[in-house]
Amino acid sequence: MLVGNSNGPAEVYENLTAGGSWLAVELSGSKSNRSGIGARLELTVGGKTQIRDVRTGSSFESQNALAAHYGVGQAAAADRLTVRWPSGKVQVFHQLPAGRKVRIAE
């Protein structure tokens, strides 16, 4: 990955880990906004929870990806995903398979 820093040198990062799987979650809102901006996602795998908030740009001339991306290690599936929508609706999913992108509708 190449990172261009404002008023600083560019940096190059290389992933040297032994590997692992991932899960990406894309939201599609109906009562909340269409992109799910403001939603909080909590993913639990192997007793550990990772939290992602869906938000727009966080810095000057930048944009966050709207899909929440999680590393799940060697797990074949995530134990639980909780989605808290800006509208107040809460959805819970179990055993989401790793190595893919899932789309969740409000």
Side-chain angles (χ1 to χ4, degrees), residues 49-80:
T49 301
Q50 300 175 55
I51 298 172
R52 303 280 185 272
D53 293 324
V54 179
R55 57 188 188 160
T56 59
S58 62
S59 184
F60 177 71
E61 293 184 353
S62 70
Q63 171 64 38
N64 295 317
L66 295 178
H69 192 274
Y70 299 92
V72 298
Q74 302 305 316
D79 300 326
R80 184 179 71 244

Side-chain angles (χ1 to χ4, degrees), residues 11-104:
E11 298 172 346
V12 176
Y13 294 91
E14 180 181 2
N15 184 356
L16 300 175
T17 62
S21 199
W22 56 276
L23 176 67
V25 180
E26 185 175 273
L27 299 180
S28 178
S30 56
K31 186 174 181 184
S32 299
N33 60 81
R34 183 178 0 177
S35 298
I37 295 168
R40 173 164 279 197
L41 294 89
E42 301 174 10
L43 185 85
T44 302
V45 179
K48 295 183 179 182
T49 301
Q50 300 175 55
I51 298 172
R52 303 280 185 272
D53 293 324
V54 179
R55 57 188 188 160
T56 59
S58 62
S59 184
F60 177 71
E61 293 184 353
S62 70
Q63 171 64 38
N64 295 317
L66 295 178
H69 192 274
Y70 299 92
V72 298
Q74 302 305 316
D79 300 326
R80 184 179 71 244
L81 173 69
T82 303
V83 180
R84 299 178 192 284
W85 293 89
S87 67
K89 182 176 183 175
V90 177
Q91 293 174 293
V92 179
F93 303 89
H94 298 278
Q95 297 302 310
L96 292 173
R100 65 185 61 184
K101 183 179 198 177
V102 295
R103 185 173 188 145
I104 295 177

